[in-house]
């Protein structure tokens, strides 16, 4: 089922999180019994709303690239590279709350 596809670049994956989110990467430790260690990668803020956490790889070739002039098919070229990361997203909440009341009320 040849469809003469050219191959196309993939779209970016965007994960929307609220400001104040801390992005951490899990690091493998030598002892599997211990809790994992985390490295801070970024903090999403109002002044810094976007961060690139992992990069993608190169796309493969489409089916049209596999045909030579003689009609002999080459092996397909799969996508290459890209990063895989295990992330932990933590929302840092800062409460700006104050109680206003009459002095000595409620005692």
């Amino acid at each position: 089922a040849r469809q003469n596809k050219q191959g196309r670049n993939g779209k970016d994956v965007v994960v929307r999180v609220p400001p104040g989110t801390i992005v951490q990467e899990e690091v493998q430790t030598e002892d599997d019994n211990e809790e994992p260690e985390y490295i801070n990668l970024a903090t999403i803020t109002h002044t810094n709303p976007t961060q690139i956490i992992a990069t993608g790889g190169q796309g493969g070739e489409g089916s049209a690239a596999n045909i030579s002039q003689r009609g002999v098919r080459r092996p397909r070229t799969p996508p290459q590279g890209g990063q895989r990361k295990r992330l932990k997203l933590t929302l840092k909440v800062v409460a700006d709350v104050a109680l206003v009341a009459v002095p000595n009320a409620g005692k």
Side-chain angles (χ1 to χ4, degrees):
R2 253 193 263 170
Q3 297 178 3
N4 291 329
K5 299 287 184 182
Q6 295 295 323
R8 196 181 300 173
N9 291 334
K11 298 190 185 292
D12 292 339
V13 176
V14 177
V15 178
R16 298 181 65 108
V17 295
T21 301
I22 300 171
V23 182
Q24 297 173 316
E25 179 181 4
E26 182 179 322
V27 179
Q28 295 292 335
T29 58
E30 293 178 8
D31 298 332
D32 291 333
N33 297 336
E34 292 183 23
E35 289 189 24
E37 294 181 12
Y38 293 96
I39 297 175
N40 286 344
L41 295 178
T43 300
I44 308 300
T45 61
H46 288 290
T47 57
N48 193 10
T50 58
Q51 288 287 325
I52 297 175
I53 302 300
T55 58
Q58 298 292 324
E61 295 178 338
S63 59
N66 294 329
I67 301 172
S68 69
Q69 292 179 350
R70 293 187 202 170
V72 178
R73 297 193 69 152
R74 299 185 300 163
R76 289 195 171 127
T77 306
Q80 301 289 324
Q83 295 178 332
R84 287 180 163 257
K85 295 183 179 184
R86 183 178 291 260
L87 301 175
K88 177 181 176 183
L89 303 177
T90 307
L91 181 60
K92 180 173 56 172
V93 179
V94 178
D96 293 332
V97 177
L99 298 174
V100 179
V102 180
N104 296 329
K107 287 188 175 183

